[in-house]
Amino acid sequence: MEGLNSMIKKANQDRLIRGFKAVNNFSSNLEITHLLYADDSLVFRDAKEEQVRHLRLILSVFEAISWLHVNWSKSQVYTINEVTNIQRLAGVLGCQVGNLPTTYLWMPLRAKNRSQELWNEVLERCEKKLAIWKGNYLSLG
């Protein structure tokens, strides 16, 4: 998964794909591109075919070099606001179109207009989980 993380970060640095800007307690200019947890991944993209094609290429290369398989039939693409070409984008990825609200790792995901606060609950929960993990890790040492 570290390899996938590096490939997505590099594509973001090269501006081939873009995430979304989020506001949290630490930074007002945080760009979220992806969340990886064990065998689950959440990737944030603009609804632009070129970016989706780059993402598909990254995931295909990841499959080839890692020998891990992306289950495209279980994968879903979600929209925030109206995306007129969503079926086409899902077709590029070979996945289904999902509907919000949904959950990711037991965290609720829902769409409110185009607000920067959209993912604050997810970020806060992740920060809490990381703080607990860090505390447990430090107590084991």
Side-chain angles (χ1 to χ4, degrees), residues 9-99:
K9 281 183 172 181
K10 176 69 173 145
N12 183 257
Q13 287 171 352
D14 293 345
R15 304 320 265 167
L16 298 172
I17 57 178
R18 302 185 107 169
F20 74 94
K21 299 285 186 192
V23 177
N24 69 7
N25 297 336
F26 305 108
S27 170
S28 61
N29 197 22
L30 177 67
E31 185 173 4
I32 306 292
T33 56
H34 59 288
L35 299 172
L36 305 176
Y37 181 79
D39 62 350
D40 284 319
S41 303
L42 192 60
V43 183
F44 305 97
R45 299 280 61 84
D46 285 337
K48 296 180 179 171
E49 189 169 341
E50 182 179 328
Q51 287 191 39
V52 173
R53 287 192 186 283
H54 283 293
L55 177 61
R56 176 63 191 226
L57 179 61
I58 289 167
L59 293 171
S60 295
V61 168
F62 174 73
E63 283 182 311
I65 63 175
S66 71
W67 293 51
L68 296 174
H69 175 68
V70 175
N71 190 337
W72 297 106
S73 64
K74 282 186 168 181
S75 299
Q76 295 186 331
V77 61
Y78 298 94
T79 64
I80 299 172
N81 295 328
E82 186 176 336
V83 178
T84 57
N85 62 340
I86 190 61
Q87 291 297 334
R88 181 171 175 82
L89 298 177
V92 169
L93 289 174
C95 66
Q96 302 296 314
V97 176
N99 295 310

